Amino acid sequence: MTYDPPDSIAAVMTPAEVRQACRVGAFNRPTRGAAVGWVHCNLVVLDQRHAYDFLLYCQRNPKACPVMEITDTGNPEPRRTASGADLRSDLARYHVFRDGVQADDSTNINDLWTDTSIGFLIGSGITFDGALQRAGVPTDKDRWVVNTDIDTEPAGVFSGKLVATMRWLTPEQAIIATQVSARFPNNHGAPIHIGDPAQIGADLANPLFGPPVGKVRDGQVAVFWACGVTPQSAALNAGIDLMITHAPAHGLPIDIKSDDVALP
Amino acid sequence: MTYDPPDSIAAVMTPAEVRQACRVGAFNRPTRGAAVGWVHCNLVVLDQRHAYDFLLYCQRNPKACPVMEITDTGNPEPRRTASGADLRSDLARYHVFRDGVQADDSTNINDLWTDTSIGFLIGSGITFDGALQRAGVPTDKDRWVVNTDIDTEPAGVFSGKLVATMRWLTPEQAIIATQVSARFPNNHGAPIHIGDPAQIGADLANPLFGPPVGKVRDGQVAVFWACGVTPQSAALNAGIDLMITHAPAHGLPIDIKSDDVALP
């Protein structure tokens, strides 16, 4: 299959439709902009030997790593939040880390999943894109994933700096986006910083995702959220033998409406 | 020491003062009513062999088991939330379960803690007692811990029914208490049920804590919250070799103000 849905189609696809299209190779684009209004998750797959340390790392860093579901050991179906889904194939693109070094991306992990693999679904900020759009905050541009110099709380072998999602917004949009995102505490919640990127050591010279950053526009302000790419940074530091994650912006939409996880 | 602080003194003690008084044996009363306005925690101590299953159980049952801190393996100090505290001695009374059978209570666990023990601090509903009192809802009576027939989501060896805190309130108080407790999602949050106890199979004949229940008074309604005693029920079912918990209503106040964990 070579068909990829255009933005207008992707936006109204259901999570199950996105997952099925990924499974058959007909969805090779970011899930940002797809299945709008549904909860999106980042993925981490680890062997059970590392599962306690990793879950402890998530518990100690809940803004970056809000856990939505953990599969039973060896079972690739996240049956509580996405019945019928298969974590081995239902994401468009996977990052693979071996001994702390990033290997080539993969479009499925059928050959890497074992009887002792565990999948962690971690709430993504894409979850509140629909709510931001309804509130008049654009979500389709001026958006990056960047490193910061903020230490996360270590747990076992996992440690490292916080990774952030940065958006450039007008001050009015920043205020609205703060209020809207605060209603989603299990999907990174309110911003961690607004204003000078240097105050949190944000590395704008080397964004992890997105085009070259350039200079912030007049009349705009940088707004930063804790990002689900943080565990990838921790995996690089840990140097564990095998860790698989979603590729940035290529997550898994699950069968829960964003409005159903939002605070009133 | 035989001194126990009266209610008026206990209420205004700081968490550190309560912990120190417990440590030296000068505090043998419930922590309900003590250190009002501070976050209170329930305790579970397990060997590291059971830690992943238990943490997974907490993740899958967050209303009953909201995790506030997990100690590093073998270290009895919850340094992130109660610096200087010692989980082996700083609670007034401990439950001990061996092979799924409750043994005698203990006033310290110095002899039971090992190099592979891990302490889990779980947010307690006592945390919002101060906020309820400010809102005019009494917290000192008509309150029980009861079994229900609601299944929790199992994880590894842990499974069982949800345990609930029940209060009898006027309808007006029930409405206020619902709003107030909802602001504390990491301390059991909003009620799980209001009204007929039979609808959730609440076992009023055998309360786990509190005096005999009797009949609900005219003009009052039963209100139920998920309760931090739920893990004790799971431990009984699991039949693991050793699990230590707080005795009901004998928890650990930590160095975080309740207002600082409440939603706006």
Side-chain angles (χ1 to χ4, degrees):
Chain A
M1 303 271 302
T2 56
Y3 173 82
D4 276 330
D7 289 353
S8 57
I9 301 294
V12 297
M13 290 173 77
T14 68
E17 287 166 348
V18 170
R19 299 191 304 254
Q20 180 63 22
C22 286
R23 193 180 302 184
V24 299
F27 193 102
N28 301 289
R29 45 164 286 157
T31 42
R32 183 176 294 165
V36 174
W38 295 88
V39 173
H40 285 236
C41 288
N42 301 318
L43 175 69
V44 171
V45 177
L46 289 166
D47 187 78
Q48 64 182 1
R49 286 178 293 119
H50 303 296
Y52 177 70
D53 278 359
F54 185 71
L55 187 46
L56 188 61
Y57 184 75
C58 293
Q59 192 277 330
R60 290 179 178 172
N61 298 283
K63 284 209 88 162
C65 310
V67 180
M68 302 298 289
E69 177 163 0
I70 301 166
T71 62
D72 294 318
T73 304
N75 186 341
E77 180 189 3
R79 63 181 171 80
R80 294 167 194 81
T81 62
S83 181
D86 187 331
L87 294 183
R88 297 171 299 187
S89 56
D90 291 4
L91 283 78
R93 193 147 62 89
Y94 299 81
H95 274 356
V96 179
F97 300 89
R98 295 180 189 280
D99 302 320
V101 178
Q102 188 170 352
D104 288 339
D105 279 1
S106 183
T107 55
N108 72 69
I109 55 169
N110 292 323
D111 294 342
L112 298 174
W113 185 276
T114 75
D115 286 349
T116 54
S117 293
I118 297 176
F120 295 78
L121 294 183
I122 296 174
S124 163
I126 293 175
T127 298
F128 51 72
D129 274 2
L132 289 175
Q133 290 169 20
R134 290 203 302 268
V137 178
T139 62
D140 55 343
K141 58 192 173 86
D142 299 333
R143 180 171 170 164
W144 298 267
V145 174
V146 297
N147 282 310
T148 76
D149 66 4
I150 299 171
D151 285 316
T152 60
E153 185 76 25
V157 299
F158 295 97
S159 65
K161 304 294 184 182
L162 185 72
V163 178
T165 299
M166 176 179 76
R167 302 171 199 233
W168 284 353
L169 300 171
T170 67
E172 184 185 15
Q173 289 167 347
I175 293 165
I176 293 170
T178 298
Q179 296 174 73
V180 169
S181 59
R183 295 179 53 231
F184 296 85
N186 288 322
N187 296 276
H188 308 311
I192 56 157
H193 182 60
I194 294 182
D196 183 7
Q199 277 186 282
I200 59 168
D203 182 5
L204 306 197
N206 302 290
L208 300 177
F209 189 77
V213 176
K215 295 198 71 158
V216 66
R217 281 189 213 103
D218 283 349
Q220 287 191 324
V221 63
V223 186
F224 297 85
W225 281 265
C227 178
V229 177
T230 302
Q232 298 185 11
S233 176
L236 283 167
N237 291 330
I240 58 174
D241 48 352
L242 178 65
M243 175 165 171
I244 305 160
T245 73
H246 71 293
H250 292 71
L252 184 83
I254 61 176
D255 298 338
I256 299 173
K257 288 265 191 188
S258 299
D259 285 343
D260 290 341
V261 297
L263 297 172
Chain B
M1 304 269 304
T2 56
Y3 172 82
D4 276 330
D7 290 353
S8 57
I9 300 295
V12 298
M13 289 173 77
T14 68
E17 288 166 348
V18 170
R19 299 190 305 253
Q20 179 63 22
C22 286
R23 193 181 301 186
V24 300
F27 193 103
N28 300 290
R29 44 163 288 154
T31 41
R32 184 177 293 166
V36 174
W38 295 87
V39 173
H40 285 236
C41 288
N42 301 317
L43 174 69
V44 171
V45 177
L46 289 166
D47 187 79
Q48 63 182 4
R49 286 177 294 120
H50 302 296
Y52 177 69
D53 278 358
F54 185 72
L55 187 45
L56 188 61
Y57 184 75
C58 293
Q59 192 276 329
R60 290 180 177 171
N61 298 283
K63 284 207 90 162
C65 311
V67 180
M68 301 298 288
E69 176 162 2
I70 300 166
T71 62
D72 293 319
T73 304
N75 187 342
E77 181 190 0
R79 62 181 172 78
R80 294 167 193 82
T81 62
S83 181
D86 187 332
L87 294 183
R88 298 171 298 185
S89 56
D90 290 4
L91 283 77
R93 192 147 63 88
Y94 298 82
H95 274 356
V96 179
F97 300 89
R98 295 182 189 278
D99 302 318
V101 178
Q102 188 170 353
D104 288 339
D105 278 2
S106 183
T107 57
N108 73 67
I109 55 168
N110 291 323
D111 294 341
L112 297 175
W113 184 276
T114 75
D115 286 349
T116 55
S117 294
I118 298 176
F120 294 78
L121 295 182
I122 295 175
S124 163
I126 294 175
T127 298
F128 51 74
D129 274 2
L132 288 175
Q133 290 170 20
R134 290 203 304 266
V137 178
T139 61
D140 55 344
K141 59 191 173 81
D142 299 334
R143 179 171 172 163
W144 298 267
V145 174
V146 296
N147 282 309
T148 75
D149 66 4
I150 300 171
D151 285 317
T152 61
E153 183 77 24
V157 300
F158 295 97
S159 65
K161 304 294 184 182
L162 185 74
V163 178
T165 298
M166 178 179 75
R167 302 172 198 233
W168 286 352
L169 300 171
T170 67
E172 183 184 16
Q173 289 167 348
I175 292 165
I176 293 170
T178 298
Q179 297 174 73
V180 169
S181 59
R183 295 177 53 228
F184 296 85
N186 287 322
N187 296 278
H188 307 310
I192 55 158
H193 182 59
I194 294 182
D196 183 7
Q199 277 186 281
I200 59 168
D203 182 4
L204 306 197
N206 303 289
L208 300 177
F209 190 78
V213 176
K215 295 197 70 158
V216 65
R217 278 188 215 103
D218 283 348
Q220 287 192 325
V221 63
V223 186
F224 297 85
W225 281 264
C227 177
V229 177
T230 303
Q232 298 185 14
S233 177
L236 282 168
N237 292 329
I240 57 175
D241 50 349
L242 179 64
M243 175 164 170
I244 306 159
T245 74
H246 70 293
H250 293 71
L252 184 83
I254 60 175
D255 298 339
I256 299 174
K257 287 266 191 187
S258 299
D259 286 343
D260 290 340
V261 297
L263 297 174

